[in-house]
Amino acid sequence: QKEVEQNSGPLSVPEGAIASLNCTYSDRGSQSFFWYRQYSGKSPELIMSIYSNGDKEDGRFTAQLNKASQYVSLLIRDSQPSDSATYLCAVNSGNYGQNFVFGPGTRLSVLP
Amino acid sequence: GAVVSQHPSWVICKSGTSVKIECRSLDFQATTMFWYRQFPKQSLMLMATSNEGSKATYEQGVEKDKFLINHASLTLSTLTVTSAHPEDSSFYICSARGAAGWNSPLHFGNGTRLTVT
């Protein structure tokens, strides 16, 4: 069983719509969760972190965490073509949070 | 914010030569750095974990004698691809964490695109 799972996509949404990206993880002891965005040919960049159950909003981005369900999501409101990228879910695991595990990423395409 | 600088951003070398890639944390001390490799349209693959002052920990299947990692200071880790071959052509990315613990994210360098001819 993979430790962090994401739908590979591509997920296509029209411009202005809400894009919903999902991630599940297997380590119940994980406590920190991160979303990264990676444009083609570029390195990943951190866009959101979340540590507590519930929602965390930052501009057009909202991260949602449900530890009981081992589920993390990222919502992108008012999606723009510039949001087209691969979104990576990352989870801290290990006794001391020393392991940083990435999901395979979901490719998002926002259609103008 | 935390900045990780990686150099060079791209390099072309001939088969059989060695290439060194540098990764620096510019505004924080990085006790741990990670080296990733990514082939086109594929996921990030962790190659090794670099710890300041100690030997790197390599992932299964990564040849430690081919991919030499040195983490000599709290702000610098280097990856040397020895005797490079065309199959080593890839995008190499380093990342760093400022401190251990649950809430510390990874910060990535801009990556190095290696082409071996």
Side-chain angles (χ1 to χ4, degrees):
Chain A
Q1 181 184 4
K2 292 184 180 178
E3 295 183 55
V4 180
E5 297 194 21
Q6 297 179 254
N7 290 328
S8 61
L11 171 66
S12 295
V13 300
E15 183 175 356
I18 296 175
S20 178
L21 304 162
N22 305 317
C23 170
T24 58
Y25 60 95
S26 60
D27 185 352
R28 284 196 167 276
S30 300
Q31 295 190 22
S32 297
F33 308 87
F34 307 90
W35 283 99
Y36 288 81
R37 176 176 61 198
Q38 186 177 24
Y39 291 112
S40 181
K42 303 294 185 182
S43 64
E45 56 178 324
L46 179 69
I47 53 173
M48 288 285 288
S49 59
I50 187 166
Y51 313 114
S52 304
N53 279 329
D55 295 359
K56 179 181 178 182
E57 187 175 316
D58 184 0
R60 294 187 297 112
F61 298 99
T62 298
Q64 299 175 317
L65 174 61
N66 184 325
K67 291 185 180 179
S69 300
Q70 296 173 247
Y71 176 88
V72 189
S73 67
L74 179 70
L75 300 178
I76 306 175
R77 289 182 300 282
D78 189 23
S79 296
Q80 301 297 309
S82 57
D83 295 325
S84 297
T86 296
Y87 289 81
L88 305 170
C89 173
V91 177
N92 261 9
S93 67
N95 292 335
Y96 308 101
Q98 70 273 25
N99 298 326
F100 212 91
V101 183
F102 282 90
T106 297
R107 190 156 57 92
L108 172 66
S109 179
V110 181
L111 306 174
Chain B
V3 178
V4 176
S5 174
Q6 188 172 341
H7 179 82
S9 56
W10 60 271
V11 58
I12 302 172
C13 71
K14 292 187 177 181
S15 186
T17 61
S18 295
V19 173
K20 180 185 282 189
I21 302 170
E22 292 188 349
C23 181
R24 295 180 183 273
S25 56
L26 296 187
D27 52 358
F28 66 101
Q29 292 183 330
T31 54
T32 304
M33 290 184 173
F34 301 87
W35 287 96
Y36 291 85
R37 179 169 55 182
Q38 188 173 37
F39 294 104
K41 299 191 185 299
Q42 293 190 21
S43 304
L44 286 174
M45 289 175 44
L46 179 64
M47 298 177 66
T49 300
S50 170
N51 298 298
E52 187 270 335
S54 64
K55 290 183 179 180
T57 304
Y58 290 82
E59 295 299 302
Q60 190 173 7
V62 177
E63 300 175 58
K64 62 180 181 180
D65 294 330
K66 181 170 182 62
F67 298 99
L68 300 179
I69 291 173
N70 185 295
H71 194 154
S73 77
L74 286 170
T75 59
L76 174 64
S77 176
T78 61
L79 168 68
T80 301
V81 183
T82 62
S83 187
H85 291 284
E87 57 265 32
D88 298 323
S89 298
S90 188
F91 190 44
Y92 293 85
I93 316 171
C94 73
S95 65
R97 302 178 72 179
W102 291 105
N103 294 342
S104 182
L106 284 185
H107 303 282
F108 285 88
N110 288 335
T112 297
R113 190 160 304 282
L114 170 64
T115 302
V116 185
T117 62

